[in-house]
Structures are given as C-alpha cells and as structure tokens.
Amino acid sequence: MTLRFRPVLLALPLALALPGCISLGGEPPESLLTLSPAARAPAGPGVAADANRPVIAVMPFDTPAKLDVLRVPVTVSDTELAYLQEAFWVEKPARLFRQLVGETIRARGTAMVVDGNEVASMPTVTVQGTLTEMGFDAASSEAVVRFDAVRTGKDGAVATRRFEARESGVTPDARSVGAGLNAAANRVAAEVAEWVAAG
C-alpha cells in the first residue's frame, strides 16, 4: 500500500513549487476604463410604451477586429495600429457604447428603451450599427469615437447616419485617453438619441 501512494507524495512538493515558476498572465491593471453616461434616467418604474412613448430596441453593435478586444487602439499612421499601454476596458467597447446609447435615450423619458438581452416583441424603432472607432489618434492627440448608425422604423423604413466626435488635447496615457473617449462617446450618444427621437 505504501508503494502505491509514493508517486502522489513525491509529486505534491513539485506541484506546490510550480506556481513560483509559471506565470498564467501579466499583472492585473491598476484600474479599468468604462463609459459613464452624462445623463441618467431617474430611479423608479420607468416608462411604459403607449401612443406617445414608442418602444426603442437598441440592438448589439458590430465592430471591426481592432475594437473586439479590451484594449484601446492607437492610430499611429494610415497603415499602423498599436494599443495604448496600461489601458484596458472593463468590457468590450461595443457593449459599453451600446449601454451608453440606451441609457442616453432612456434619460430623455420619451420612450421605453430595451437595450439588454431581452427582446422587445413589437419595437417601434430599432437602432443598430457599427462602432468603427473608439481610440486615440497619435498624430492629432485626439480621442475619437465614430459610429455608423442604422435606424429602422415600424413601417420598415431604414435610415443611416455616421456620427463622430473628437476630444483634442489628449495625452497618450490611460487616464487622459479614457476621459477623452468618455466625453466623445457621450456626445455621439446624445446625437444618436436626438436622431432616433426625430425619426
């Protein structure tokens, strides 16, 4: 019986020593970036859909591969792309921006907004699109947010529009770029909300 257990007992000290030699990932970042809405809907039951308050479904947004990560892209030139050091999103940019747009529309109080995983059975308006840019332009020292929106009405009419906002004077560090992107994203979200309401 002693011989049968010997390999396990010999392997145990080796297993305990491995964590000191093997790294399963880099050091966690000191902080994570997110988007904070400039306007929020008040706490309470929210609004119900009626003749004066349509149902707006904010669908998942598409992104190019460079934004389908938790890093902040830096445009170095027309053909070069890098990622900002020590800058990490808490969630992927498309999801954060979708939540921001949904909350910005909701804060207007003129519509019932569905922007989670639930599906509105009869949305009056559907908003979707592609977040094509949410990063730092090294040449101009600007935080840039660009969104190609698609609005579909209940009657099936489709409208498209490109929205873009830039924050200048941004330094290439996580705190400054994060603040610049938050400001630019809020401006785009406000413009999208106004456009959706006008339709």
Side-chain angles (χ1 to χ4, degrees), residues 7-67:
V8 176
L9 293 174
L10 290 174
L12 186 59
L14 180 61
L16 292 175
L18 283 176
C21 302
I22 296 176
S23 174
L24 299 179
E27 288 293 321
E30 292 183 6
S31 62
L32 298 173
L33 302 176
T34 190
L35 298 178
S36 178
R40 292 181 184 273
V47 296
D50 57 33
N52 299 317
R53 290 188 176 91
V55 177
I56 298 177
V58 182
M59 307 303 289
F61 297 153
D62 293 325
T63 55
K66 69 176 182 179
L67 291 177

Side-chain angles (χ1 to χ4, degrees), residues 13 36 38 57-58 60 64 72 74 81 98 115 122 146 158 163 166 177 186:
S36 178
V58 182
V72 177
V74 177
L81 180 74
R98 177 191 177 195
D115 66 340
M122 293 293 290
R146 186 181 305 118
V158 177
F163 297 88
R166 292 172 173 264
V177 171
N186 269 282

Side-chain angles (χ1 to χ4, degrees), residues 46-124:
V47 296
D50 57 33
N52 299 317
R53 290 188 176 91
V55 177
I56 298 177
V58 182
M59 307 303 289
F61 297 153
D62 293 325
T63 55
K66 69 176 182 179
L67 291 177
D68 195 26
V69 293
L70 297 176
R71 306 294 304 275
V72 177
V74 177
T75 301
V76 180
S77 71
D78 290 342
T79 58
E80 292 178 274
L81 180 74
Y83 285 99
L84 190 64
Q85 251 187 339
E86 299 179 3
F88 298 88
W89 292 111
V90 67
E91 290 186 88
K92 289 184 179 179
R95 182 172 174 82
L96 289 173
F97 186 66
R98 177 191 177 195
Q99 293 168 346
L100 179 66
V101 170
E103 183 62 21
T104 303
I105 297 173
R106 186 181 291 111
R108 295 172 64 93
T110 57
M112 176 181 173
V113 180
V114 182
D115 66 340
N117 292 325
E118 65 270 26
V119 177
S121 56
M122 293 293 290
T124 309

